[in-house]
Amino acid sequence: MSEPLTLSLGQKFELERMTRAIDATGDPQALRGLAKQLLQAWQSQKAATQWVMRQQLGAPSSFLGGMTTMPEPSEPQGFDVL
């Protein structure tokens, strides 16, 4: 059986840092910007995961969302809300 998914110490640290930044932000415009960046990161991660799965399984591109190439990683977006 596979091992449960766990976050690294660095990921846990980043998660806590971002949680605190969100909690400290009272500006709705800034929160909307954060939400959009998080949605973009989430969808990019899903696309990358699907690409890796297809590469390992040798599945056709129609499987797992139809991507045929690995998307270019975007530059990480900082959350300058503090």
Side-chain angles (χ1 to χ4, degrees):
M1 188 171 283
S2 65
E3 191 175 310
L5 190 63
T6 59
L7 298 176
S8 70
L9 182 59
Q11 290 169 320
K12 289 177 184 178
F13 178 81
E14 186 65 13
L15 179 62
E16 180 63 25
R17 185 180 76 79
M18 296 308 305
T19 298
R20 290 180 186 199
I22 291 168
D23 287 342
T25 302
D27 178 21
Q29 184 81 9
L31 289 173
R32 275 193 292 277
L34 284 171
K36 290 176 183 179
Q37 288 178 0
L38 290 170
L39 283 171
Q40 178 64 43
W42 175 39
Q43 292 302 317
S44 295
Q45 182 61 50
K46 282 177 54 178
T49 299
Q50 290 172 349
W51 182 84
V52 168
M53 289 174 62
R54 279 195 314 278
Q55 296 303 307
Q56 291 181 348
L57 298 173
S61 63
S62 61
F63 182 69
L64 296 173
M67 289 185 54
T68 57
T69 60
M70 177 64 183
E72 288 295 320
S74 60
E75 196 64 30
Q77 298 294 318
F79 294 93
D80 300 325
V81 295
L82 297 176

